[in-house]
Amino acid sequence: MTQMQRVVVVDDEQRLADLVCLSLTDQGYAASAHARAQEALEVFEREHVDVVITDLRMPKVSGMEVLKAVKSASPETVVLVMTAFVVGLL
């Protein structure tokens, strides 16, 4: 029996994090949603995590800081950085 892949979703917009998490869970992943990056990093420190999906722009701890912390502790963990931030229209 194969183990479900563990995914941690981080977005300061809780509803978006929950939506991504729900979609992943429906696809068979063990996923958890976190609105605070520090909370997600604590989960990462306690548990094996295969993938971290993080928003780029968040208060206090940015997505780039999440990326650096995860890769420093576990280089094999996949980190996806997403953003809805728009600088301007073309």
Side-chain angles (χ1 to χ4, degrees), residues 9-42:
V9 180
V10 191
D11 195 310
D12 58 321
E13 296 287 335
Q14 184 69 54
R15 290 176 54 190
L16 180 57
D18 289 340
L19 182 62
V20 171
C21 186
L22 179 61
S23 179
L24 289 165
T25 301
D26 287 347
Q27 296 298 315
Y29 295 93
S32 61
H34 306 276
R36 293 181 334 116
Q38 189 58 46
E39 178 183 294
L41 289 173
E42 290 168 6

Side-chain angles (χ1 to χ4, degrees), residues 40-60:
L41 289 173
E42 290 168 6
V43 170
F44 178 77
E45 290 173 3
R46 288 191 315 264
E47 303 172 21
H48 171 77
V49 176
D50 299 293
V51 178
V52 175
I53 301 173
T54 183
D55 187 13
L56 178 62
R57 296 176 57 105
M58 297 181 290
K60 297 186 182 176

